[in-house]
Amino acid sequence: MNVNRQIIVIDEAKCTGCGQCVHACHEGVIAMVNGKARIVKESACDGLGSCLNVCPEGAIRLVEEKEEKGQACPHTTFQKRWPIQLALLAPWVRLGQEIVIAADCTAFQYPFFHDALRGRRLLIACPKLDEVEVYEEKLRQLFTCNILSSIEVIRMEVPCCFGLVRLVEDALRATNQKCLFTITPVSINGEIIGSTSIAI
């Protein structure tokens, strides 16, 4: 059985050896070899493309690779689920039509959190501790690249968590998404307080 994954390729002719991609890649996939950027650990490539935007020459691109099931690829199992951190997600990623955006704490506080996902794509973020300005633009880009039928925000009942609702709702309206928008608060005791759904 074949599975697909995205990996980077480097055009050696375009590479000027600036090294910016090496610093941008947190997985250690790229290294400088004889003054050129080279892929030295392909199996570790997560396909998120952190190195793409930093290359001033446009020498790096993403390609889809087919591989046989059973080959050593650390990301194949999580291809549709990883990453879940909004901060790590590439803005052009395909999310599917139904997604859940949850505050970081909810998965630890609500004991049936994974049951609530019902196979939907999960993203997590913290509106209090994370860089909210980055999320505003990231969500707009993600919603521009995806057509959603429903999105649920699962948040804690504490006031600081409401910022996640505002971020998502603003991004939905800015991109003219027409979908069902559900807000589900979780109490500090780990219980669902009640969900509210509106058509955006």
Side-chain angles (χ1 to χ4, degrees), residues 146-166:
N146 291 271
I147 299 174
L148 305 173
S149 61
S150 70
I151 181 167
E152 181 177 7
V153 173
I154 303 178
R155 69 174 187 92
M156 295 302 298
E157 66 174 330
V158 293
C160 61
C161 221
F162 190 76
L164 189 59
V165 175
R166 182 189 58 78

Side-chain angles (χ1 to χ4, degrees), residues 65-76:
E65 179 187 73
K66 286 187 177 181
E67 52 178 44
E68 291 293 326
K69 187 176 181 182
Q71 278 185 292
C73 171
H75 308 290
T76 299

Side-chain angles (χ1 to χ4, degrees), residues 6 33 39 44 50 57 66-67 86 96 128 134 137 141 159-161 163 165 187 194:
Q6 288 190 312
V33 179
I39 298 170
S50 301
E57 306 301 327
K66 286 187 177 181
E67 52 178 44
L86 183 56
K128 183 173 183 177
V134 175
E137 181 59 25
Q141 291 173 317
C160 61
C161 221
V165 175
S187 74

Side-chain angles (χ1 to χ4, degrees), residues 11-195:
D11 187 334
E12 193 174 318
K14 290 183 179 179
C15 177
T16 59
C18 70
Q20 292 186 53
C21 57
V22 177
H23 299 293
C25 179
H26 302 294
E27 284 73 34
V29 175
I30 308 171
M32 297 303 295
V33 179
N34 297 326
K36 296 278 188 177
R38 298 274 176 85
I39 298 170
V40 295
K41 198 162 65 172
E42 183 184 286
S43 65
C45 182
D46 58 17
L48 297 179
S50 301
C51 53
L52 291 178
N53 294 331
V54 300
C55 179
E57 306 301 327
I60 305 173
R61 61 189 174 91
L62 279 174
V63 297
E64 196 167 84
E65 179 187 73
K66 286 187 177 181
E67 52 178 44
E68 291 293 326
K69 187 176 181 182
Q71 278 185 292
C73 171
H75 308 290
T76 299
T77 305
F78 306 101
Q79 192 175 13
K80 295 183 179 179
R81 300 279 179 213
W82 190 261
I84 59 173
Q85 282 280 358
L86 183 56
L88 297 177
L89 203 67
W92 55 82
V93 164
R94 297 297 176 204
L95 298 173
Q97 292 185 320
E98 298 180 308
I99 65 171
V100 174
I101 300 182
D104 290 351
C105 299
T106 56
F108 298 96
Q109 216 44 33
Y110 179 49
F112 305 106
F113 180 83
H114 287 277
D115 294 334
L117 295 179
R118 300 191 305 275
R120 295 172 293 173
R121 177 68 185 259
L122 171 67
L123 308 177
I124 63 171
C126 177
K128 183 173 183 177
L129 302 178
D130 297 344
E131 294 183 44
V132 174
E133 298 78 13
V134 175
Y135 287 162
E136 289 174 351
E137 181 59 25
K138 177 75 71 71
L139 286 170
R140 287 192 194 101
Q141 291 173 317
L142 283 167
F143 294 165
T144 298
C145 294
N146 291 271
I147 299 174
L148 305 173
S149 61
S150 70
I151 181 167
E152 181 177 7
V153 173
I154 303 178
R155 69 174 187 92
M156 295 302 298
E157 66 174 330
V158 293
C160 61
C161 221
F162 190 76
L164 189 59
V165 175
R166 182 189 58 78
L167 278 171
V168 174
E169 186 172 2
D170 287 352
L172 286 171
R173 295 190 188 281
T175 53
N176 295 314
Q177 283 279 356
K178 305 298 181 188
C179 68
L180 184 66
F181 180 42
T182 302
I183 304 162
T184 303
V186 176
S187 74
I188 57 174
N189 296 320
E191 300 171 342
I192 296 291
I193 298 173
S195 294

